[in-house]
Amino acid sequence: MARPTTIGDASPVIEPAVAPTTKRNPAAPALKWGDDRVGLGKISRFALRKVFPDHWSFLLGEIALYSFIILLLTGVFLTIWFKPSMAEIEYDGTYQLLKGIPVSEAFASTLHISFDVRGGLLVRQIHHWAALLFVAAAFVHMLRVFFTGAYRKPREVNWLVGIGLMALSTIAGFAGYSLPDDLLSGTGLRFADGLIRSIPIIGTWAEFFVFGGEFPGELIIARLYMVHILLVPGLLLGLVSLHLALVVYHKHTQFPGAGRTENNVVGYPVFPVYAAKAGGFFFVVFGFSVLLGGLVQINPVWLYGPYDPAKVTAGSQPDWYMGWLEGAVRIMPGWETHVLGTTWSWNVFLPGVGLMGLLFTLLGLWPFVERWLTGDTREHHLLQRPRNAPTRTAFGVAGMVCFALFLIAGGNDIVATRFGLSLNAITVALRVLVFLGPVIAFIVTKRICLGLQRKDRERVLHGSETGIIQRSPGGGYSEPHLPIHENEKFLLTQHVQRQPLEVSPDTDENGVRISQEVSSTRARLSRWYLGHDVPKPTAAEIAEADHHGEDGHELEGQAEHQALEDRQPEPAND
């Protein structure tokens, strides 16, 4: 029989006659230690039960995050063998075609990684492809946030963090692209040198400061190396952490639908569903990057040769995220101003430095400009369908068209040689299209959005088309409609339509002049931004349409009616 024992003044505890069979968790002491000191259990329960909505477009941000992780892993591998030095040596490596050629240590170490380090070329190419994928995913993710209005209150700060991430990712990509010190990357550095020198007044001083003397100097590769592996990755890690923390704090946005409101999140918890899906998707992205690195050649520096300031690679093109700036510089007319013995190169400064500054300034100000135009100060956790914000969507498409035209201009020589066209004619045409194309895209996109709004209104009031043509006894033909599901009606009518702002009085009831909250200019701009939306059906109109549908012609036969219901499409988001 078990012998009772006591511990201090505690009540008797009966020792079990048979030892428990439950196996003790070896990590329990460590977990208890952490829980006692930092509340690990509470933090874990909150993190593991955090709910995230499920939509394919949310994978864009995950692709950017996973690509960044791949960049960190492969970058550590490459750092072991790369030598960031511009000291000139005679190449004596495996690649026979360059034997005896004077090259920099940076270029020689790149060849050594590619030909002599086991798996080096594969890792190099994975790293380069992952960099392109990272910037592309971040770019498209920002477009998704823009078109769906996910940057609205209270997420303006997170939008600014995203802009910082986008800017830093391009800097990191350009710095890494320049490190091999081959003829192609050196041409890109020469382009950057031109942008720096074009800055009025301080351009020459800034060039000497960055390059440590006249271009190309002897320090730029070492400096870019520190920027690429230390400064920018550290900033990126900090901003990514802040970005994810704000996502958790504000709750994840979600697309509208049945059961989804501004006050809840409908989705899956982190553990076990989301963790399993996210983990699997990470390996999908990693595997795709490995396939690209192993099967698709990128940046074969041995074909370009070492950098020589006196040479330029024929048909040289930068990575896509820098190509639009080069295109802007290529099609800019040769505008220069001579002031007090100095030359101000507007043909380089405006399309290069000025255009890049303008882009990030407009992106940063947009949430606040839109709030000023709409007067909307509420919190938003439901996303907008792009069609329900036609002016914003039109602006986004116009910007994409402008970006694409600049990108084409960055390869105008390639376009001319591939299609047998005149280079000058292409340049002149792009100078016109870069102004005309975005305007046309804006008008067409806005008309499409308004047309889709009318289609949604008709679908709510009259139902879905059946595709069946009936003939009446009088000889007329008609197509019966089926009422749509209540969930789809909710999806098509749940959005709030903001009314344009009205001019507020500039005097009080006593005739004393006061500060005008809404000026006439602000009211006009608000009418232009919001005044063309198609009114969504009211509750009375929907009720009347439902009543009319009940009294109208009905399809004959229950089986036929059920078959048509089965064909009814599910509601879809833009």
Side-chain angles (χ1 to χ4, degrees), residues 218-241:
E218 297 180 352
L219 301 174
I220 188 62
I221 296 298
R223 291 179 174 179
L224 288 176
Y225 183 69
M226 299 309 298
V227 168
H228 184 68
I229 71 164
L230 184 61
L231 178 61
V232 174
L235 294 175
L236 283 173
L237 278 172
L239 289 181
V240 166
S241 301

Side-chain angles (χ1 to χ4, degrees), residues 355-378:
L355 192 61
M356 187 162 45
L358 178 65
L359 171 65
F360 287 105
T361 301
L362 290 178
L363 288 175
L365 293 177
W366 178 260
F368 310 99
V369 171
E370 185 180 69
R371 187 172 63 182
W372 182 76
L373 291 173
T374 61
D376 186 6
T377 58
R378 300 175 307 160

Side-chain angles (χ1 to χ4, degrees), residues 514-531:
I514 58 175
S515 177
Q516 194 174 25
E517 184 177 352
V518 179
S519 64
S520 58
T521 301
R522 183 181 178 187
R524 283 196 301 270
L525 291 174
S526 180
R527 283 194 299 272
W528 172 79
Y529 190 79
L530 297 172

